Amino acid sequence: NSQLNPAYTFENYIEGDCNRLARSAGYAVANKPGTTSFNPLMIYGGVGLGKTHLVQAIGNNIKNSNPEKFVLYVSSEKFVNQFIESVKTNNVQDFANFYLLVDILIIDDVQFLSGKDKTQEMFFHIFNHLHQSGKQIVMTSDCPPRDLKGLEERLLSRFKWGLTADLQSPDFETRMAIIQKKMQGDGIDIPDNVVEYLAYSVDTNVRELEGVLISLIAQSSLNRKEIDLELAKQALKHIIEDVETEVNLDFIQKTVAEYFQVSLDSLKAKTRKKEIVTARQVAMYFAKEFTSHSLKSIGYHFGGRDHSTVIHSVQTVSDLIDTDKKFKASIQELQKKFKTKAG
Ligand code: ADP
Ligand code: MG
């Protein structure tokens, strides 16, 4: 069992400026696994931007044209758990042997290997063996390799042997194309003005966009109504409330930007204006407190900053809380917003 989901293909993976390099590298690998210089291929990007879809498409493509090849997709979480289990049951050798048989190893979300030294050692061993035998390795991560904290240097240096490509948030045109394609795939008619409205309104990630479409389809069949702008607005309200019940980085950034009356973009920009720096530091502080993102990942989502910048920000905010009563009050006010969301 390859653990591949046949629904994820290149055919339904929309190409745009946001994913062009990653997609074409993936396509090259899919057509010549193990023999291009893209070995390993590392795809990184934020949540819901299409990492899993893309690497699964690579796997499906290879499997379809080379049925004899052993293509294996595994999440890093599963890899870790399997490894731990094999240690407990004294089956480490079987675990290793199984992976050494793989022709194409696709390992998703390698940031999950952070700090798991023994598992990394095993992965390093498997990686070297497969790579030396000309087998293809494909990986994904939620941040660039250089920011993968808690990953051994010798493993990181291996990642650099191949190609690293990122996925960006989809631009407006790509979002339009994704909506059209998804609706077409489901055989559902959607007027152009609704496509445009949704593409304009949901600009974070593709998963959220899909959530809105699902809700829209549900509303349409529930109300026995054709899809129109009014229905789209309803669906959007519905889903955005849902989305906001969890504290994620986007929500923290939006809320803090609004509170300090600075633009969302400025939090990710280079500017050193004092009010923006403060807002940025506060947002990082809450990101650390309320999300499970690593320091590296937080830095990455704030315009590609270093993890040491995040540490510095968290420290600065903590110090200010201790010394500045007004500041402390603002922090507490903001904190309430996140606490109620977090439930
Ligand atoms: P990630 O692994 O980066 O969190 P996923 O690969 O799970 O993201 O993608 C989230 C959803 O968005 C999936 O249903 C996927 O099919 C869809 N998706 C992402 N990017 C694209 C794209 N370029 N074209 C079509 N669908 C996409
Ligand atoms: Mg994924």
Side-chain angles (χ1 to χ4, degrees):
N1 194 338
S2 64
Q3 309 294 324
L4 288 168
N5 175 351
Y8 290 130
T9 63
F10 277 105
E11 217 281 305
N12 59 22
Y13 194 75
I14 301 290
E15 181 174 357
D17 287 343
C18 54
N19 61 29
R20 204 171 313 277
L21 174 64
R23 189 186 185 282
S24 61
Y27 198 71
V29 162
N31 285 302
K32 290 186 161 183
T35 59
T36 67
S37 53
F38 307 153
N39 196 16
L41 174 63
M42 160 69 102
I43 307 287
Y44 72 88
V47 104
L49 295 183
K51 300 182 294 296
T52 298
H53 186 142
L54 179 57
V55 299
Q56 288 253 352
I58 296 172
N60 280 316
N61 197 299
I62 297 175
K63 219 179 108 191
N64 290 338
S65 39
N66 312 273
E68 77 289 355
K69 292 223 153 120
F70 181 10
V71 181
L72 183 71
Y73 168 90
V74 65
S75 70
S76 297
E77 185 169 8
K78 185 165 174 193
F79 185 85
V80 170
N81 290 338
Q82 281 180 346
F83 176 69
I84 292 173
E85 192 56 32
S86 79
V87 172
K88 274 194 205 146
T89 55
N90 244 324
N91 285 317
V92 176
Q93 200 52 52
D94 289 347
F95 175 90
N97 289 342
F98 172 75
Y99 277 93
L100 296 178
L101 287 174
V102 172
D103 291 311
I104 289 94
L105 178 61
I106 303 170
I107 175 151
D108 208 356
D109 290 317
V110 293
Q111 73 276 0
F112 198 79
L113 300 179
S114 281
K116 317 232 170 31
D117 295 351
K118 285 275 178 288
T119 315
Q120 280 182 44
E121 213 171 283
M122 174 54 80
F123 182 55
F124 185 72
H125 171 65
I126 293 168
F127 184 105
N128 283 339
H129 181 94
L130 293 181
H131 196 273
Q132 271 162 24
S133 340
K135 306 298 168 68
Q136 178 72 45
I137 299 152
V138 178
M139 297 177 287
T140 76
S141 152
D142 72 349
C143 63
R146 68 182 132 83
D147 289 349
L148 278 167
K149 209 191 156 207
L151 238 66
E152 266 189 81
E153 200 46 52
R154 57 174 191 167
L155 192 52
L156 285 178
S157 76
R158 290 293 190 271
F159 295 178
K160 289 175 199 144
W161 285 358
L163 180 83
T164 299
D166 69 331
L167 294 174
Q168 301 278 341
S169 292
D171 47 275
F172 182 75
E173 280 76 22
T174 309
R175 298 199 296 270
M176 295 253 294
I178 288 173
I179 297 169
Q180 270 151 352
K181 184 90 184 179
K182 300 264 173 213
M183 295 308 249
Q184 243 172 39
D186 287 344
I188 291 163
D189 281 333
I190 177 164
D192 288 347
N193 64 339
V194 177
V195 175
E196 217 166 277
Y197 169 75
L198 292 175
Y200 185 74
S201 314
V202 189
D203 60 359
T204 43
N205 69 54
V206 186
R207 189 169 298 151
E208 202 168 307
L209 194 57
E210 283 184 347
V212 174
L213 294 180
I214 290 167
S215 162
L216 181 59
I217 295 168
Q219 302 261 349
S220 156
S221 79
L222 212 66
N223 299 319
R224 297 175 198 287
K225 249 186 92 187
E226 296 283 303
I227 290 177
D228 63 6
L229 208 52
E230 194 199 330
L231 208 58
K233 284 181 181 164
Q234 272 177 35
L236 202 61
K237 238 199 217 148
H238 197 76
I239 200 85
I240 281 176
E241 276 162 15
D242 272 3
V243 167
E244 289 193 354
T245 54
E246 73 169 41
V247 182
N248 56 26
L249 264 179
D250 284 336
F251 180 69
I252 289 172
Q253 290 179 332
K254 273 188 197 138
T255 309
V256 172
E258 216 167 88
Y259 187 86
F260 285 94
Q261 301 191 340
V262 302
S263 76
L264 187 56
D265 286 343
S266 67
L267 294 183
K268 301 169 193 171
K270 293 266 172 281
T271 171
R272 304 278 314 154
K273 272 196 196 147
K274 188 164 184 308
E275 68 269 25
I276 291 170
V277 171
T278 305
R280 190 184 293 138
Q281 289 176 332
V282 168
M284 287 185 186
Y285 171 86
F286 283 122
K288 168 90 179 29
E289 181 171 0
F290 285 106
T291 75
S292 53
H293 283 267
S294 65
L295 295 170
K296 296 272 182 187
S297 169
I298 293 173
Y300 171 66
H301 287 97
F302 280 85
R305 290 181 155 78
D306 214 38
H307 84 286
S308 59
T309 307
V310 182
I311 294 176
H312 175 73
S313 299
V314 172
Q315 192 54 50
T316 307
V317 172
S318 307
D319 291 348
L320 273 173
I321 292 174
D322 290 341
T323 54
D324 182 336
K325 283 226 170 74
K326 260 194 189 161
F327 184 81
K328 183 175 179 182
S330 327
I331 293 295
Q332 284 172 333
E333 204 179 327
L334 273 165
Q335 205 158 27
K336 267 189 220 145
K337 295 183 199 252
F338 301 133
K339 278 210 173 122
T340 45
K341 290 291 176 206

